[in-house]
Amino acid sequence: MAALRAAGCVFAEDEADLILTAASAPQEVAAMVERRVSGLPLELVVGWAEFHGLRIALTPGVFVPRRRTEFLVDQALAQAPRARVVVDLCCGSGAVGAALARGLGAGEVELHAADIDPAAVRCARRNVAGLGGRVHRGDLFDALPAALRGRVDILAANVPYVPSGEIALLPAEARDHEPLTALDGGSDGLDVLRRVAAGAPDWLAPGGCLLAETGRHQAPAAVAAFTDAGLRARLAASEEHHAHVVIGVRP
């Protein structure tokens, strides 16, 4: 614990407990502490993250799911509590899709997840396999089976939304250890969100919803992008989670 505290880990005692629990031998404890002290996110050190009551497996090079994104899951479940076809776009570890499938009833949901990053695809397969989910590799909608067109009840897209010029301002844990494709949203942070919004109506079922996380200052422009795509759009915000989620419903 002293090494973690000296490295500036604010919750050194809690982190030490997690490392001791995850390690299978004393020498593994030392190696894990060394990786954490070097700046590797704790979740990647221990190999998992807690998300919406699930333990999500993680591997190096994969985006670590943020607790604030649990708000997106809650909004999706409230918007479409009887959804049967779910897509987790820009899925990363598959945490959002896994949480939605469990919340809707594993075995009752047709779950698809997609990401452009092969490391993310491999990781997501581990996390959704037990829920009957399928994971596809490709650029946004290009990755999805054509048979999903017009059938999707929930389209969750945790898109990258950090403006390119602000990547250098991110904490080193994210900047140095997470894939740039999961962080960089272009000049104003909304490049990927606009692409997803424009393509979503072709994939959503009537009454189906698209949900995407965004930053507080970007929220008005994000809502406008959903509206421009023909969706009935609104913003949901949570001070507790420091989260802003744009919700668009296909008429």
Side-chain angles (χ1 to χ4, degrees):
M1 185 169 64
L4 295 173
R5 187 178 292 115
C9 298
V10 177
F11 302 104
E13 184 173 345
D14 293 337
E15 293 194 10
D17 288 342
L18 282 173
I19 288 173
L20 288 170
T21 300
S24 58
Q27 59 268 32
E28 188 175 2
V29 171
M32 293 172 77
V33 168
E34 183 177 350
R35 291 198 294 272
R36 178 63 180 131
V37 167
S38 73
L40 192 67
L42 177 66
E43 295 86 353
L44 296 179
V45 171
V46 299
W48 60 273
E50 182 181 346
F51 183 82
H52 213 271
L54 297 172
R55 180 173 286 198
I56 300 297
L58 293 173
T59 53
V62 175
F63 181 78
V64 176
R66 308 309 200 240
R67 296 300 293 269
R68 65 173 174 269
T69 306
E70 294 177 345
F71 181 66
L72 185 152
V73 173
D74 291 337
Q75 291 298 306
L77 294 174
Q79 179 69 40
R82 291 179 292 279
R84 286 297 171 259
V85 180
V86 174
V87 170
D88 180 4
L89 209 59
C90 302
C91 70
S93 65
V96 169
L100 287 171
R102 193 186 75 155
L104 292 164
E108 302 295 325
V109 173
E110 180 182 348
L111 171 62
H112 295 264
D115 203 287
I116 198 169
D117 187 338
V121 169
R122 290 191 296 270
C123 185
R125 284 178 177 149
R126 292 176 58 188
N127 288 311
V128 306
L131 298 162
R134 296 173 57 193
V135 186
H136 315 277
R137 181 185 173 191
D139 183 22
L140 300 181
F141 298 107
D142 291 345
L144 300 179
L148 287 176
R149 284 184 179 272
R151 296 182 52 233
V152 179
D153 299 311
I154 293 176
L155 175 57
N158 192 23
V159 299
Y161 59 87
V162 180
S164 300
E166 297 180 16
I167 295 294
L169 304 178
L170 291 175
E173 288 186 3
R175 187 180 67 242
D176 297 339
H177 298 285
E178 293 183 313
L180 186 62
T181 53
L183 302 170
D184 193 340
S187 59
D188 67 351
L190 297 177
D191 284 1
V192 182
L193 182 144
R194 290 191 185 95
R195 290 178 59 203
V196 171
D202 290 338
W203 295 86
L204 290 173
C209 60
L210 165 66
L211 302 98
E213 190 173 284
T214 191
R216 178 168 62 90
H217 297 298
Q218 300 159 312
V223 170
F226 276 43
T227 301
D228 291 345
L231 302 172
R232 295 197 306 266
R234 65 180 177 89
L235 178 69
S238 168
E239 292 186 8
E240 176 186 357
H241 292 84
H242 304 288
H244 295 78
V245 173
V246 185
I247 304 167
V249 178
R250 178 188 163 188

